[in-house]
Amino acid sequence: MNKIFSILLFFISFSGFSQTTKPKFEGQATTSTEKVDTRNHAIIPQWRGRQTLGNITFDNDFDGARLNGITQNNDTLYTAIIAAENYPINPSPWYAFKVTSKTPQTIWVHLTYLNAKHRYFPKISRDGKTWQVVDSTDCILVKDPEAKNRSFQENALSESAFVRIKVDTKTTWIAAQELMTSTIVKDWSKEILKNKFVSSEIIGKSPQNRSLECLRIGEDKSDSKIMIVIGRLHPPEVTGQFALQAFVESLCMDSETAKKFRKEYTVYVIPMMNPDGVDYGHWRHNTGGIDLNRDWADFNQPETQIVRDFLRKKLDGTQNKLYFGIDFHSTWDDIFYTNITEKPTNMDGLIKRWFEALEQAIPDYKVNARGSNPASGVISKAFFNKEFNAEALVYEVGDNTSRDFTILKSKAGAEKLMVLSLDYLK
């Protein structure tokens, strides 16, 4: 074991590891998102299976897994190789794998990445359902000594990481974030469907024949006043999934406000926009090799086409209106991306009032928001605004934002949205 610590100390010394205060997150570097070619881009499927090295077996044969290679350095040190589905790609290096051992022992796994750096602090589970953050004493980050002088994102990244794992004959899961596969999200949907005012339909299929489920929340059969909630365009963005689920659960509350809201408004929820990418363990893209949140202008990918066609069917040629659209994501830290519009929307000023209400509802909370012009945009909020004149935003949750605070803010957001939407009708 002393030999292992000597190796780790060498890497730490070489990297110039130090604790620094992170700079404030200011969002994307530009005020508009560049248009890219969203026609299919080939991906490299990862090999799935088990690999045994001595007493230790590594397994990536499950939904959400990502482990592209494993090598053994010595009796207690292993190197994991993590690679993306294709390049270029956003630096969201997802990993997830299982480990078992013929005999109880402690091992170190060195998490390394091809064309990327370490981003997500490891989570650990013994059943694949209940997760904990790995203890800080069991994870050593190899930092770039220059990162503290760079951007928020660069400062948040490490060159690689060493994680210490106690293993035995029972499976241990290690992942970048909690596993939230398409099956797990479907199970959550089943719970929401126990409410009599919620129904479900399959609005299309992914390229790998997974269902895009759409939940309908509301008692107004006319669909005259519509809102839309979408999420999981990007597979690793699990904190955004937590926020979406808390938001939707609050729309289903038994409060008087929620009951009145559901009589007036219909909310459509597509909680899993990229089930193929999620289950394949992708860093960012769908199985067409494309970032789905850059395809809301050209609509080259089936997943965005399905949502576009669904909304057009509900709205085009009718008196129905889309009042609000929200797209849940994860990023380096909490932020909202909004539209800077030049003409009134169907519920003009809603988001501004919503931000003010959020700050009043949560003690010591200050909204972090950044706007961009939807005219040049290719992401969901731009599409909702340009085509349907809706108030729309992207709701981003930090990778490491407290799960409790994520739920608190999302529930408060849903409650304030309902109050403000009902006030609009007065």
Side-chain angles (χ1 to χ4, degrees), residues 197-199 201 203 214-228 261-269 309-324 346 388:
F197 48 80
V198 181
S199 58
E201 67 174 301
I203 60 173
C214 181
L215 303 174
R216 182 188 189 278
I217 301 171
E219 298 179 7
D220 176 17
K221 303 303 181 183
S222 70
D223 277 358
S224 61
K225 297 184 286 295
I226 294 175
M227 298 184 177
I228 187 165
F261 173 82
R262 293 191 296 266
K263 288 180 180 178
E264 296 290 344
Y265 293 90
T266 302
V267 181
Y268 287 101
V269 182
D309 295 347
F310 173 79
L311 285 174
R312 286 177 176 175
K313 183 178 179 180
K314 294 289 180 183
L315 296 162
D316 288 358
T318 74
Q319 296 300 309
N320 302 339
K321 291 183 179 180
L322 181 67
Y323 285 89
F324 180 70
N346 291 333
F388 303 111

Coordinates of all heavy atoms in Angstrom, one line a residue, residues 197-199 201 203 214-228 261-269 309-324 346 388:
F197 N -55.4 13.2 -12.8 CA -55.4 14.3 -13.8 C -54.1 14.2 -14.6 O -53.8 15.2 -15.4 CB -55.4 15.7 -13.0 CG -54.4 15.8 -11.9 CD1 -53.1 16.0 -12.1 CD2 -54.9 15.6 -10.6 CE1 -52.2 16.1 -11.1 CE2 -54.0 15.7 -9.5 CZ -52.6 15.9 -9.8
V198 N -53.4 13.1 -14.5 CA -52.2 12.9 -15.4 C -52.5 11.7 -16.3 O -53.0 10.7 -15.9 CB -51.0 12.6 -14.5 CG1 -49.7 12.4 -15.4 CG2 -50.7 13.7 -13.5
S199 N -52.1 11.9 -17.6 CA -52.2 10.8 -18.6 C -50.9 10.8 -19.4 O -50.0 11.6 -19.2 CB -53.4 11.1 -19.6 OG -53.3 12.3 -20.2
E201 N -48.8 9.5 -23.2 CA -48.8 9.0 -24.5 C -47.4 8.9 -25.1 O -46.5 9.6 -24.6 CB -49.7 9.8 -25.5 CG -49.2 11.2 -25.8 CD -50.0 11.9 -26.8 OE1 -50.1 11.4 -28.0 OE2 -50.5 13.0 -26.5
I203 N -45.2 9.7 -27.9 CA -45.2 10.7 -29.1 C -44.2 10.3 -30.2 O -44.2 11.0 -31.2 CB -45.0 12.1 -28.6 CG1 -43.7 12.3 -27.9 CG2 -46.2 12.5 -27.7 CD1 -43.4 13.8 -27.6
C214 N -44.7 11.2 -23.2 CA -45.1 12.6 -22.9 C -46.2 12.5 -21.8 O -47.3 11.8 -22.1 CB -45.6 13.3 -24.1 SG -46.1 15.0 -23.8
L215 N -46.0 13.1 -20.7 CA -47.1 13.2 -19.7 C -47.9 14.4 -19.9 O -47.4 15.5 -20.2 CB -46.5 13.2 -18.3 CG -45.5 12.1 -17.9 CD1 -44.9 12.3 -16.5 CD2 -46.3 10.7 -17.8
R216 N -49.2 14.2 -19.7 CA -50.1 15.4 -19.8 C -50.7 15.7 -18.4 O -51.3 14.8 -17.8 CB -51.3 15.1 -20.7 CG -52.2 16.3 -20.9 CD -53.5 15.9 -21.7 NE -54.3 17.0 -22.1 CZ -55.2 17.6 -21.3 NH1 -55.4 17.1 -20.1 NH2 -55.9 18.6 -21.7
I217 N -50.5 16.9 -17.8 CA -51.0 17.3 -16.5 C -52.0 18.4 -16.7 O -51.7 19.4 -17.3 CB -49.8 17.8 -15.6 CG1 -48.8 16.7 -15.4 CG2 -50.4 18.2 -14.3 CD1 -47.5 17.2 -14.8
G218 N -53.2 18.1 -16.3 CA -54.2 19.1 -16.4 C -55.6 18.6 -16.5 O -55.8 17.4 -16.9
E219 N -56.6 19.4 -16.3 CA -58.0 19.0 -16.4 C -58.8 19.8 -17.5 O -60.0 19.5 -17.7 CB -58.7 19.2 -15.0 CG -58.1 18.3 -13.9 CD -58.7 18.5 -12.6 OE1 -59.7 19.2 -12.5 OE2 -58.2 17.9 -11.6
D220 N -58.1 20.7 -18.1 CA -58.7 21.5 -19.2 C -58.6 20.7 -20.5 O -57.5 20.5 -21.1 CB -58.0 22.8 -19.4 CG -58.5 23.6 -20.6 OD1 -59.6 23.3 -21.1 OD2 -57.8 24.5 -21.0
K221 N -59.6 20.1 -20.9 CA -59.6 19.2 -22.1 C -59.4 19.9 -23.4 O -59.0 19.3 -24.4 CB -60.9 18.4 -22.2 CG -61.3 17.6 -21.0 CD -60.2 16.6 -20.6 CE -60.6 15.8 -19.4 NZ -59.5 14.9 -19.0
S222 N -59.5 21.3 -23.4 CA -59.4 22.0 -24.6 C -58.0 22.3 -25.1 O -57.7 22.6 -26.2 CB -60.1 23.4 -24.5 OG -59.4 24.2 -23.6
D223 N -57.0 22.2 -24.1 CA -55.6 22.5 -24.4 C -55.4 23.9 -24.9 O -54.5 24.2 -25.6 CB -55.0 21.5 -25.5 CG -54.6 20.2 -24.9 OD1 -54.6 20.0 -23.7 OD2 -54.1 19.4 -25.7
S224 N -56.3 24.8 -24.4 CA -56.2 26.2 -24.9 C -55.0 26.9 -24.4 O -54.5 27.8 -25.0 CB -57.5 27.0 -24.5 OG -57.6 27.0 -23.1
K225 N -54.5 26.6 -23.2 CA -53.4 27.3 -22.5 C -52.4 26.2 -22.2 O -52.6 25.4 -21.2 CB -53.8 28.0 -21.3 CG -54.8 29.2 -21.6 CD -55.2 30.0 -20.4 CE -56.1 29.3 -19.5 NZ -57.4 29.0 -20.0
I226 N -51.3 26.1 -22.9 CA -50.3 25.0 -22.8 C -49.0 25.5 -22.3 O -48.5 26.6 -22.6 CB -50.1 24.4 -24.2 CG1 -51.4 23.7 -24.7 CG2 -49.0 23.4 -24.2 CD1 -51.3 23.1 -26.1
M227 N -48.3 24.7 -21.5 CA -47.0 24.8 -21.1 C -46.2 23.5 -21.4 O -46.9 22.5 -21.5 CB -46.8 25.2 -19.6 CG -47.5 26.5 -19.2 SD -47.2 26.9 -17.5 CE -48.1 28.5 -17.4
I228 N -44.9 23.6 -21.6 CA -44.1 22.4 -21.9 C -42.9 22.3 -21.0 O -42.2 23.3 -20.8 CB -43.8 22.3 -23.4 CG1 -43.1 20.9 -23.7 CG2 -42.9 23.4 -23.9 CD1 -43.1 20.5 -25.2
F261 N -54.7 25.8 -10.9 CA -53.8 25.9 -12.1 C -54.1 24.8 -13.1 O -54.2 25.0 -14.3 CB -52.4 25.7 -11.6 CG -51.4 25.6 -12.7 CD1 -50.9 26.8 -13.3 CD2 -50.9 24.4 -13.0 CE1 -50.0 26.7 -14.3 CE2 -49.9 24.3 -14.1 CZ -49.5 25.4 -14.7
R262 N -54.4 23.5 -12.6 CA -54.6 22.4 -13.5 C -56.0 22.5 -14.2 O -56.2 21.9 -15.3 CB -54.5 21.1 -12.7 CG -53.1 20.8 -12.2 CD -53.0 19.4 -11.7 NE -53.8 19.1 -10.6 CZ -53.4 19.2 -9.3 NH1 -52.2 19.6 -9.0 NH2 -54.3 19.0 -8.3
K263 N -56.9 23.3 -13.7 CA -58.2 23.5 -14.4 C -58.0 24.5 -15.5 O -58.8 24.5 -16.5 CB -59.2 24.1 -13.4 CG -59.7 23.0 -12.4 CD -60.7 23.6 -11.5 CE -61.2 22.5 -10.5 NZ -62.2 23.0 -9.5
E264 N -57.0 25.4 -15.5 CA -56.8 26.4 -16.5 C -55.7 26.1 -17.5 O -55.8 26.4 -18.7 CB -56.4 27.7 -15.8 CG -57.5 28.3 -14.9 CD -58.7 28.8 -15.6 OE1 -58.5 29.1 -16.9 OE2 -59.7 29.1 -15.0
Y265 N -54.7 25.4 -17.1 CA -53.5 25.1 -17.9 C -53.3 23.6 -18.1 O -53.5 22.8 -17.2 CB -52.2 25.8 -17.3 CG -52.3 27.3 -17.3 CD1 -52.8 28.0 -16.2 CD2 -51.8 28.0 -18.4 CE1 -52.8 29.3 -16.2 CE2 -51.8 29.4 -18.3 CZ -52.3 30.1 -17.2 OH -52.4 31.4 -17.2
T266 N -52.7 23.3 -19.3 CA -52.3 21.9 -19.5 C -50.8 22.0 -19.7 O -50.2 22.8 -20.4 CB -52.9 21.4 -20.9 OG1 -54.3 21.4 -20.8 CG2 -52.4 20.0 -21.1
V267 N -50.1 21.1 -18.9 CA -48.6 21.0 -19.0 C -48.2 19.7 -19.6 O -48.7 18.6 -19.1 CB -48.0 21.1 -17.6 CG1 -46.5 21.1 -17.7 CG2 -48.4 22.4 -16.9
Y268 N -47.5 19.7 -20.6 CA -46.9 18.5 -21.3 C -45.5 18.4 -20.8 O -44.7 19.3 -20.9 CB -47.0 18.6 -22.8 CG -48.4 18.4 -23.3 CD1 -49.2 19.5 -23.7 CD2 -49.0 17.2 -23.3 CE1 -50.5 19.4 -24.1 CE2 -50.3 17.0 -23.8 CZ -51.1 18.1 -24.2 OH -52.4 17.9 -24.6
V269 N -45.1 17.1 -20.4 CA -43.8 16.9 -19.8 C -43.2 15.7 -20.6 O -43.7 14.6 -20.7 CB -43.9 16.5 -18.4 CG1 -42.5 16.2 -17.8 CG2 -44.7 17.5 -17.5
D309 N -43.0 18.4 -34.0 CA -44.3 18.0 -34.7 C -45.4 17.9 -33.7 O -46.6 18.2 -34.0 CB -44.1 16.7 -35.4 CG -43.1 16.8 -36.6 OD1 -42.8 17.9 -37.0 OD2 -42.7 15.7 -37.1
F310 N -45.1 17.4 -32.5 CA -46.1 17.3 -31.4 C -46.7 18.7 -31.1 O -47.9 18.9 -31.0 CB -45.5 16.7 -30.1 CG -46.4 16.7 -28.9 CD1 -47.4 15.8 -28.8 CD2 -46.2 17.6 -27.9 CE1 -48.2 15.7 -27.7 CE2 -47.0 17.6 -26.8 CZ -48.0 16.7 -26.7
L311 N -45.8 19.7 -30.9 CA -46.3 21.0 -30.6 C -47.1 21.7 -31.7 O -48.1 22.3 -31.5 CB -45.1 21.9 -30.2 CG -44.5 21.7 -28.8 CD1 -43.3 22.5 -28.5 CD2 -45.6 22.0 -27.7
R312 N -46.6 21.5 -32.9 CA -47.3 22.0 -34.1 C -48.7 21.4 -34.2 O -49.6 22.2 -34.5 CB -46.5 21.8 -35.4 CG -45.2 22.7 -35.5 CD -44.4 22.4 -36.7 NE -43.3 23.3 -36.9 CZ -42.4 23.2 -37.8 NH1 -42.4 22.2 -38.7 NH2 -41.4 24.1 -37.9
K313 N -48.8 20.2 -34.0 CA -50.1 19.5 -34.0 C -51.1 20.1 -33.0 O -52.3 20.3 -33.2 CB -50.0 18.0 -33.8 CG -51.3 17.3 -33.9 CD -51.0 15.8 -33.8 CE -52.3 15.0 -33.9 NZ -52.1 13.5 -33.7
K314 N -50.5 20.5 -31.8 CA -51.4 21.0 -30.7 C -51.7 22.5 -31.0 O -52.8 23.0 -30.5 CB -50.6 20.9 -29.4 CG -50.4 19.5 -28.9 CD -51.7 18.8 -28.5 CE -51.5 17.4 -28.0 NZ -52.8 16.8 -27.6
L315 N -50.8 23.2 -31.7 CA -51.0 24.7 -31.7 C -51.3 25.3 -33.1 O -52.1 26.2 -33.2 CB -49.7 25.3 -31.2 CG -49.3 25.0 -29.7 CD1 -47.9 25.3 -29.4 CD2 -50.2 25.8 -28.8
D316 N -50.7 24.7 -34.2 CA -50.9 25.3 -35.5 C -52.4 25.2 -35.9 O -53.0 24.2 -35.8 CB -50.0 24.6 -36.5 CG -48.5 25.0 -36.3 OD1 -48.2 25.8 -35.4 OD2 -47.7 24.5 -37.1
G317 N -52.9 26.3 -36.4 CA -54.3 26.3 -36.9 C -55.3 26.3 -35.9 O -56.5 26.0 -36.1
T318 N -54.9 26.6 -34.6 CA -55.9 26.6 -33.5 C -55.8 27.9 -32.8 O -55.0 28.7 -33.0 CB -55.6 25.4 -32.5 OG1 -54.4 25.8 -31.7 CG2 -55.3 24.1 -33.2
Q319 N -56.7 28.0 -31.8 CA -56.6 29.2 -30.9 C -55.8 28.9 -29.7 O -55.6 29.8 -28.8 CB -58.0 29.6 -30.4 CG -58.9 30.1 -31.6 CD -58.4 31.3 -32.3 OE1 -58.0 32.3 -31.6 NE2 -58.3 31.2 -33.6
N320 N -55.2 27.7 -29.6 CA -54.4 27.3 -28.5 C -53.1 28.1 -28.5 O -52.6 28.5 -29.5 CB -54.0 25.8 -28.5 CG -55.3 25.0 -28.5 OD1 -56.4 25.4 -28.1 ND2 -55.1 23.7 -28.9
K321 N -52.5 28.4 -27.3 CA -51.3 29.1 -27.2 C -50.3 28.4 -26.2 O -50.7 27.7 -25.3 CB -51.5 30.5 -26.6 CG -52.3 31.4 -27.5 CD -52.4 32.8 -26.9 CE -53.1 33.8 -27.8 NZ -53.2 35.2 -27.2
L322 N -49.0 28.5 -26.6 CA -48.0 28.0 -25.7 C -47.5 29.2 -24.9 O -47.0 30.2 -25.4 CB -46.8 27.4 -26.5 CG -45.6 26.8 -25.7 CD1 -46.1 25.6 -24.9 CD2 -44.5 26.5 -26.6
Y323 N -47.7 29.1 -23.6 CA -47.4 30.2 -22.7 C -46.0 30.2 -22.1 O -45.3 31.2 -21.9 CB -48.4 30.3 -21.6 CG -49.7 30.9 -22.0 CD1 -50.7 30.1 -22.5 CD2 -50.0 32.3 -22.0 CE1 -51.9 30.5 -22.9 CE2 -51.2 32.8 -22.4 CZ -52.2 31.9 -22.9 OH -53.4 32.4 -23.3
F324 N -45.5 29.0 -21.9 CA -44.3 28.8 -21.2 C -43.6 27.5 -21.5 O -44.2 26.5 -21.7 CB -44.6 28.8 -19.7 CG -43.4 28.7 -18.7 CD1 -42.4 29.7 -18.6 CD2 -43.2 27.5 -18.0 CE1 -41.4 29.5 -17.8 CE2 -42.1 27.4 -17.2 CZ -41.2 28.4 -17.0
N346 N -46.7 35.6 -25.3 CA -48.0 35.3 -24.9 C -48.3 35.5 -23.4 O -49.5 35.6 -23.0 CB -48.3 33.8 -25.2 CG -48.4 33.5 -26.7 OD1 -48.7 34.4 -27.5 ND2 -48.0 32.3 -27.1
F388 N -43.6 29.9 -31.3 CA -44.9 29.9 -30.6 C -45.0 31.1 -29.7 O -46.0 31.2 -29.0 CB -45.0 28.6 -29.8 CG -44.9 27.3 -30.6 CD1 -43.8 26.5 -30.5 CD2 -45.9 27.0 -31.6 CE1 -43.7 25.3 -31.3 CE2 -45.7 25.9 -32.3 CZ -44.6 25.0 -32.2

